[in-house]
Amino acid sequence: MLNFDLNTPVSSITRVGKTTAGKLKKLGIETVKDLIFYYPFRWQDFSVVSEIAKLEATDAATIKGKIQLINNRRSFAKRKNLTEALIADQSGSIKVIWFNQPYLIKVLQPGDEVYLSGKVDFDRYNLQFVNPVYEKAGGETIHTARLVPIYSLTGNLTQKQIRFLISVVLPAIDLIDDWLPPAISKKLNLPDQKFALRQIHFPQNQKTLAEASRRLKFEELFLFQLRIFLSKQEISATPAEPVKFHEEETKKFVDSLPFKLTNDQRRAAWQIISDLGQSRPMNRLLEGEVGSGKTLVALLAMFNAALDGKQAVLMAPTEILAGQHYNNICRFLGKTKIKTALLTRSQQILNQKKAGKIEVFKKIKSGGVKIIIGTHALIQQDVKFADLGLVVIDEQHRFGVRQRQLLKQKSDSGSDRSRPVATLPHLLSMTATPIPRSLALSLYGDLDISVIYELPEERKKIITKIVEPRNRPAAYDFVRGEIKDGRQTFVICPLIDLSDKLGVKAVTAEYEKLKDQVFPDLKIAMLHGKLKAAAKEEIMADFLAKKYDILVATSVVEVGVDVANASVMLIEGAERFGLSQLHQFRGRVGRSIFQSYCLVFTDSQSEKISRRLGVLVSAKDGFELAEYDLKFRGPGEIYGTSQSGFPEFKIARLTDYQIIAEAKEAAQAVISEGLDKYPVLKQKMDQAGENIHLE
Ligand code: ADP
Ligand code: MG
């Protein structure tokens, strides 16, 4: 009998104290079930147990032997504790050292038979194990002598801890009901879920691991595709209110802009406006090169919705971006009488004046404002719309398909006006991270796509340079020169220390260096994730108002930020970013008539990395870079971290084309038969739905 079930909190499992429970919670692990569904992201192959005599220097070796001797001593030079041991099997013996684990002599004693897995290296003339993982021989191993799971962790949780916990709760897998219709697993030859879950954590061999991983990837992609089909069904079953094209006003508006639209902008705007005129909801993705002016295209659509007496929402991933969109849009709308609001967690602005939340909510509900710009707050809070005709989601890869659906639903239930039929608003999503078309189609087969390749004519190509360490002073001189000419500079720092999630340390260190040593005479500000939204907002506003010459930041400036006067983007530790992300950074400059520069620094000497960074210089556009990332580093790189990219996938990757296709076909089949015929699956989908509401 198990003394726990799937919902048992981890804190009531053996050896989980308060602190550990807290750390697990940070990983989203609160129950036994969460542990089981916390998949490893890689497996280290320690499965071959070697004879000691046959060992060679290697990163991954395993032996089984008896401890002959084990002792602690202080290393003379570094005053560290060293634990030294001698281990022997029938073929020979080898020295082992561990650093700073003095307690080991209590755990491991002469005569104990152990497995050791880890790195074998030369100590002068002889081979030795350095900091190997150890495990007593006897039972089934979980840390050594097998394919060993590696989990992504935070804080100082250890692999051993989490492996141990998962091994403890593993029997609870028997309590999980397999929800995948048996006909599907049979047809596709997928292993059952219990097998898959066990094997994903502690695989017997590469083959069972591959089977398990295929099954679990399929699960995710299948649910994802089902959701897409369901929403497609809902969309096609629900009409939208057509938005009339107000040709005269639109022309006048476009003429009032300080620039001429590019041809691509015109074409995209036209495709969108034609969609809006239909009584079927638009579902379109607007992709474009960074800085190609997508916001304006979206604004043309929102403008028409507003003239038609409907409301339009623009949702941005960060407060900074929402604020910036709001300011720009108000500036463009200038003399028109269209009422606007900004709604984020910390800011509510109505027709360009600060306002109370209640007041903004009221005006949205009454239809008094037509264009509403905001963040996630728009979903989370109890906003009700009077007549939502259009939803625009900026940087849509940051929002899951689910959130998109939620906002749509909100508008539905939020409608005050009694209508004969429920309607759905039109939907436009935008992304500046070019999704290679093949990928977009295989995932979001239900979307129409418009692409803006062209940049506004007056833009000059950004000059990108990979700067050698010895040229750093020259680069700083260059920055100084640009600033003297009135321009501004961004400096981006990578997160070096994993515990420094918000980038406070990295940014502060760089900021202090620049302020105290390099540019003591210049005005420098810093921006990182720990700052309150209002503070970030203020810093961005001040930077925009040229109160600072240099802004040192984490990747928070990655998406969308628009400071036309900035002409230098200086990136530190570039090897830590994907090319698409670097391209995004670079897109923060070159947004006006000034010649702009991207100065790229790397701490790495690796040839491979310098070749990869070279592509940043040579590629013609973001699409090419995205393809490159996809090919060489996986989709996570295109979208920044995998977490911020597609949160719905724990194990599936966007390059799992084959499984995506299988999942799509299976989902299609289920939908055409009717989900009602699959009560278990339906329940699973409903549960997933509930989770969304709790998010
Ligand atoms: P992105 O496509 O990356 O979201 P934005 O919409 O932020 O780009 O536009 C970048 C900048 O270019 C903004 O300052 C915007 O006002 C400006 N812009 C947009 N369209 C044009 C155009 N046709 N000519 C010149 N500048 C433009
Ligand atoms: Mg943008």
Side-chain angles (χ1 to χ4, degrees):
M1 265 296 281
L2 290 178
N3 57 357
F4 50 79
D5 62 30
L6 292 169
N7 295 319
T8 305
V10 281
S11 53
S12 31
I13 307 173
T14 352
R15 290 205 233 164
V16 178
K18 255 212 179 111
T19 6
T20 311
K23 291 180 207 158
L24 288 168
K25 192 169 173 184
K26 280 206 182 124
L27 297 174
I29 301 173
E30 295 186 64
T31 63
V32 165
K33 189 172 174 192
D34 296 337
L35 267 175
I36 292 174
F37 285 93
Y38 197 74
Y39 306 149
F41 69 94
R42 115 185 135 77
W43 297 260
Q44 189 153 21
D45 193 348
F46 283 131
S47 57
V48 178
V49 181
S50 311
E51 287 186 359
I52 290 177
K54 292 196 178 143
L55 282 176
E56 289 170 17
T58 164
D59 278 346
T62 300
I63 57 155
K64 183 184 185 188
K66 264 206 178 101
I67 298 184
Q68 310 293 307
L69 296 163
I70 181 160
N71 282 308
N72 280 338
R73 78 175 167 89
R74 293 246 133 214
S75 90
F76 187 69
K78 297 196 179 139
R79 299 181 40 221
K80 272 189 193 156
N81 180 82
L82 286 184
T83 305
E84 293 179 320
L86 190 70
I87 312 266
D89 66 6
Q90 277 147 4
S91 73
S93 63
I94 185 165
K95 189 177 148 192
V96 184
I97 55 169
W98 285 280
F99 295 104
N100 288 326
Q101 301 181 52
Y103 56 87
L104 281 180
I105 57 164
K106 296 217 181 78
V107 189
L108 300 175
Q109 271 151 16
D112 285 351
E113 184 156 55
V114 293
Y115 285 104
L116 297 181
S117 286
K119 189 177 163 121
V120 177
D121 212 348
F122 279 100
D123 167 36
R124 294 198 206 156
Y125 308 110
N126 298 311
L127 286 173
Q128 63 175 15
F129 263 100
V130 186
N131 273 333
V133 182
Y134 62 88
E135 191 167 21
K136 289 203 183 161
E140 194 189 332
T141 61
I142 56 172
H143 309 296
T144 58
R146 62 170 311 130
L147 284 170
V148 176
I150 314 279
Y151 299 87
S152 72
L153 298 178
T154 55
N156 47 1
L157 264 177
T158 65
Q159 294 292 342
K160 271 196 151 174
Q161 271 175 308
I162 191 139
R163 255 180 239 139
F164 169 75
L165 290 174
I166 289 177
S167 74
V168 168
V169 304
L170 221 52
I173 287 178
D174 286 335
L175 305 171
I176 298 173
D177 293 320
D178 196 342
W179 49 266
L180 191 66
I184 295 180
S185 351
K186 196 161 163 225
K187 179 163 175 237
L188 293 171
N189 208 2
L190 295 166
D192 75 42
Q193 196 188 29
K194 296 184 190 356
F195 172 88
L197 289 171
R198 273 201 195 91
Q199 292 298 315
I200 209 70
H201 291 292
F202 297 109
Q204 256 154 29
N205 52 46
Q206 296 284 4
K207 182 163 165 282
T208 58
L209 173 59
E211 284 168 5
S213 136
R214 177 162 166 260
R215 150 85 203 216
L216 298 176
K217 285 174 171 195
F218 180 85
E219 277 184 12
E220 288 181 344
L221 291 162
F222 176 67
L223 288 180
F224 180 80
Q225 295 290 350
L226 262 186
R227 220 177 288 126
I228 287 183
F229 277 118
L230 286 177
S231 88
K232 201 171 173 179
Q233 228 178 20
E234 187 192 338
I235 290 169
S236 61
T238 321
E241 287 200 22
V243 172
K244 266 202 299 297
F245 178 33
H246 295 250
E247 196 173 349
E248 277 304 302
E249 291 95 323
T250 305
K251 273 206 175 112
K252 230 161 77 197
F253 177 61
V254 168
D255 287 342
S256 78
L257 294 172
F259 41 70
K260 236 179 83 206
L261 293 186
T262 64
N263 289 331
D264 281 354
Q265 278 177 313
R266 272 175 205 282
R267 192 168 35 87
W270 178 243
Q271 287 168 340
I272 292 163
I273 285 169
S274 315
D275 280 3
L276 289 179
Q278 312 294 315
S279 55
R280 149 177 74 76
M282 168 171 75
N283 202 18
R284 185 171 283 276
L285 175 70
L286 174 59
E287 286 199 68
E289 187 55 71
V290 191
S292 58
K294 288 180 293 293
T295 321
L296 200 86
V297 173
L299 179 59
L300 292 176
M302 295 193 282
F303 179 75
N304 274 281
L307 291 181
D308 227 31
K310 301 184 178 66
Q311 289 171 309
V313 157
L314 169 59
M315 202 159 124
T318 62
E319 297 214 0
I320 294 182
L321 209 52
Q324 182 189 291
H325 279 327
Y326 184 73
N327 294 333
N328 286 339
I329 285 175
C330 288
R331 191 162 43 96
F332 288 137
L333 287 176
K335 291 190 215 83
T336 68
K337 296 209 176 64
I338 297 174
K339 301 276 191 271
T340 54
L342 172 69
L343 179 59
T344 66
R345 191 140 33 115
S346 61
Q347 269 197 304
Q348 298 88 41
I349 300 181
L350 199 56
N351 303 321
Q352 304 193 60
K353 286 191 211 84
K354 278 217 168 3
K357 208 189 247 172
I358 311 252
E359 202 185 336
V360 179
F361 278 31
K362 229 161 91 188
K363 276 282 173 7
I364 294 177
K365 196 172 167 190
S366 72
V369 287
K370 294 294 183 221
I371 294 186
I372 300 127
I373 295 157
T375 53
H376 239 89
L378 282 168
I379 293 186
Q380 281 151 354
Q381 300 177 339
D382 200 18
V383 186
K384 294 252 188 309
F385 298 98
D387 190 0
L388 186 54
L390 169 65
V391 172
V392 182
I393 298 187
D394 194 16
E395 302 299 344
Q396 81 98 38
H397 67 268
R398 294 257 161 144
F399 296 107
V401 174
R402 301 168 180 186
Q403 283 93 330
R404 218 165 73 189
Q405 203 57 22
L406 270 181
L407 200 62
K408 280 186 167 184
Q409 279 159 14
K410 228 174 167 59
S411 58
D412 221 13
S413 57
S415 177
D416 261 4
R417 243 209 261 157
S418 50
R419 289 217 190 86
V421 265
T423 59
L424 273 177
H426 295 284
L427 177 76
L428 177 68
S429 13
M430 302 197 285
T431 167
T433 306
I435 306 176
R437 222 185 166 84
S438 56
L439 193 59
L441 287 175
S442 70
L443 270 178
Y444 306 107
D446 57 332
L447 288 182
D448 297 311
I449 302 180
S450 299
V451 187
I452 307 184
Y453 293 101
E454 200 181 2
L455 293 177
E457 215 172 82
E458 81 250 11
R459 300 278 166 81
K460 298 197 176 67
K461 191 170 162 50
I462 299 164
I463 298 174
T464 304
K465 286 243 161 21
I466 316 288
V467 186
E468 305 232 340
R470 66 190 157 89
N471 291 333
R472 184 176 281 274
Y476 285 146
D477 283 346
F478 179 79
V479 167
R480 184 181 290 284
E482 283 290 301
I483 290 170
K484 229 182 201 158
D485 287 344
R487 303 286 79 72
Q488 289 160 288
T489 292
F490 285 106
V491 176
I492 305 288
C493 316
L495 306 184
I496 295 170
D497 182 347
L498 271 183
S499 65
D500 183 29
K501 268 207 163 145
L502 299 170
V504 187
K505 265 199 243 164
V507 167
T508 312
E510 186 66 21
Y511 168 75
E512 275 167 5
K513 180 187 112 187
L514 294 178
K515 184 172 66 99
D516 298 338
Q517 296 163 31
V518 188
F519 302 116
D521 52 324
L522 298 181
K523 285 163 291 172
I524 308 182
M526 62 173 169
L527 197 63
H528 54 65
K530 185 84 186 286
L531 295 169
K532 292 250 156 53
K536 281 189 211 163
E537 200 70 42
E538 193 178 326
I539 293 168
M540 279 315 295
D542 286 348
F543 189 57
L544 198 60
K546 293 203 215 179
K547 289 191 194 156
Y548 299 112
D549 303 308
I550 298 177
L551 183 66
V552 186
T554 54
S555 57
V556 285
V557 299
E558 174 190 350
V559 283
V561 174
D562 193 24
V563 180
N565 187 53
S567 69
V568 182
M569 168 57 67
L570 192 155
I571 305 169
E572 296 288 348
E575 73 280 2
R576 290 168 194 270
F577 300 107
L579 290 177
S580 293
Q581 208 180 359
L582 292 169
H583 184 62
Q584 272 279 358
F585 294 146
R586 176 167 61 182
R588 298 309 110 222
V589 296
R591 305 196 134 232
S592 64
I593 49 169
F594 307 117
Q595 175 61 56
S596 293
Y597 306 86
C598 180
L599 305 179
V600 181
F601 287 89
T602 165
D603 304 325
S604 160
Q605 311 276 330
S606 140
E607 171 114 357
K608 212 163 121 205
I609 284 170
S610 74
R611 219 176 315 128
R612 189 164 70 86
L613 293 176
V615 178
L616 190 67
V617 182
S618 65
K620 82 176 178 314
D621 59 19
F623 288 91
E624 192 179 328
L625 291 170
E627 295 276 7
Y628 190 93
D629 268 342
L630 190 64
K631 204 151 131 210
F632 292 102
R633 308 196 13 135
E637 291 304 324
I638 303 184
Y639 306 101
T641 71
S642 50
Q643 276 88 351
S644 67
F646 290 84
E648 50 261 279
F649 298 145
K650 281 197 290 195
I651 182 165
R653 312 201 78 196
L654 300 179
T655 37
D656 291 324
Y657 295 119
Q658 173 76 26
I659 309 177
I660 291 177
E662 286 167 352
K664 203 167 182 172
E665 199 185 314
Q668 171 92 71
V670 165
I671 296 290
S672 51
E673 259 185 82
L675 189 55
D676 288 333
K677 294 224 175 81
Y678 296 88
V680 184
L681 187 56
K682 186 157 190 293
Q683 199 190 347
K684 172 82 187 168
M685 295 293 289
D686 291 347
Q687 273 169 9
E690 270 164 37
N691 287 339
I692 297 169
H693 290 282
L694 295 174
E695 261 170 19

